[in-house]
Amino acid sequence: MATTADNVTSPLPREMQQHTYSIMYEVEGKHWWFVGRRRIIAGFVEKVCRDLGKVQPRILDVGCGTGANLQMLGRFGAAEGVDVSTDALDFCRARGLAEVKQGAAESLPFTDASFDLVTGLDVVEHLDDDVAGLREIRRVLRPDGRAVLFVPAFMFLWGVQDDISHHRRRYTLTELKQKLRAAGLTVERASYANITFFVPILIGRVMMRVTGLRPDSENNITIGALNGLLGKVLGAESWWLRRMSFPFGVSIICVARRDLS
């Protein structure tokens, strides 16, 4: 029997829902989740750049979003961004970030071996073919270059933010390592992150599923007076993650290397 259009499931859009970009632009400078996450990521990026031994490494942020992470990466080298969304890039330019291009993670608009460090910060989970995206990261990395990835963990933590961000999946540590190996990258360091708020986030997402509560964005759910404190608490994991790995968490952070061959 012939297949009709009604039998075909439309793929999810590559971009997040449009309203999420303006929310992200407004909150990622002060919301505890973004503040704490940047501190964790910055600790890993600082070590990677120190190990690379270059005064001004060339850095690419794949899926740069509205640009707060790109600003942070600029402290460590010459940082550029790429994103599939024109809305996201407009917000980057509003921050004064000129070195941004439009492009998909699976077909990056850069030549081979262009970058010393490539970051994918809550990006790979958006891709229909995540291994293809990771292979592109490897392609644009110079030999012995590094990739720093941050991805959401555990499918049982799926929530409203995953839906509105058009995530395809959340990962376990084992799954992410398998994907990286399939893409030709060697894992140097990988750990769960955000163990601090694992239980509250799990309870909150279970409650939203039970009650049917669906905010426009989970990024709107916070207590403003506590943002500074909560951001410091989450960011303090950076100290621990330099010394140990966590057995579980809301996210995963990983450093992978493109070998010399």
Side-chain angles (χ1 to χ4, degrees):
M1 184 169 60
T3 302
T4 66
D6 292 337
N7 301 123
V8 178
T9 302
S10 297
L12 287 171
R14 288 182 171 184
E15 302 173 59
M16 298 188 297
Q17 291 183 15
Q18 190 172 17
H19 72 276
T20 61
Y21 291 108
S22 58
I23 293 172
M24 185 184 298
Y25 180 74
E26 289 298 324
V27 305
E28 65 180 340
K30 57 189 177 184
H31 191 288
W32 63 269
W33 163 251
F34 292 103
V35 171
R37 182 182 69 153
R38 274 198 304 276
R39 183 174 170 190
I40 292 169
I41 293 165
F44 278 74
V45 169
E46 182 180 27
K47 182 180 186 306
V48 165
C49 290
R50 189 167 60 246
D51 292 344
L52 288 170
K54 294 190 175 182
V55 175
Q56 192 76 349
R58 191 179 179 197
I59 303 170
L60 175 65
D61 187 25
V62 177
C64 59
T66 61
N69 290 325
L70 192 55
Q71 286 181 317
M72 176 269 292
L73 292 169
R75 305 200 321 252
F76 302 102
E80 304 172 42
V82 60
D83 201 286
V84 72
S85 167
T86 56
D87 293 317
L89 297 178
D90 286 342
F91 283 118
C92 285
R93 295 183 183 107
R95 295 185 192 273
L97 300 167
E99 294 299 320
V100 292
K101 288 184 179 181
Q102 186 176 16
E106 304 95 327
S107 53
L108 294 171
F110 301 97
T111 57
D112 296 356
S114 298
F115 295 93
D116 302 295
L117 167 63
V118 178
T119 59
L121 309 175
D122 284 307
V123 168
V124 180
E125 66 274 11
H126 291 263
L127 307 180
D128 288 323
D129 188 342
D130 50 359
V131 174
L134 292 170
R135 285 182 179 136
E136 273 293 274
I137 287 175
R138 182 188 184 279
R139 180 185 67 80
V140 301
L141 273 174
R142 291 169 179 155
D144 207 36
R146 304 299 199 279
V148 174
L149 304 175
F150 200 90
V151 300
F154 299 119
M155 284 299 295
F156 62 78
L157 285 175
W158 190 274
V160 169
Q161 202 64 32
D162 296 290
D163 287 331
I164 66 174
S165 298
H166 294 144
H167 289 172
R168 274 59 171 176
R169 66 194 70 79
R170 300 177 69 96
Y171 294 88
T172 65
L173 204 55
T174 298
E175 289 167 346
L176 182 62
K177 289 178 178 179
Q178 289 172 344
K179 301 280 187 173
L180 286 160
R181 284 195 295 269
L185 290 162
T186 300
V187 176
E188 287 192 332
R189 175 86 165 85
S191 174
Y192 289 105
N194 191 3
I195 195 173
T196 307
F197 296 105
F198 182 88
V199 172
I201 288 173
L202 174 59
I203 292 171
R205 290 186 170 177
V206 169
M207 290 300 294
M208 279 190 276
R209 285 197 290 267
V210 170
T211 63
L213 174 66
R214 291 188 63 83
D216 287 340
S217 171
E218 289 181 26
N219 294 333
N220 287 332
I221 303 174
T222 188
I223 302 171
L226 295 179
N227 258 330
L229 174 61
L230 296 178
K232 289 178 181 177
V233 170
L234 176 57
E237 288 191 5
S238 178
W239 188 90
W240 291 102
L241 285 167
R242 287 197 296 270
R243 294 160 174 81
M244 62 180 292
S245 295
F246 295 159
F248 60 89
V250 179
S251 300
I252 297 170
I253 189 162
C254 176
V255 178
R257 181 183 73 251
R258 176 178 175 174
D259 290 329
L260 293 172
S261 58

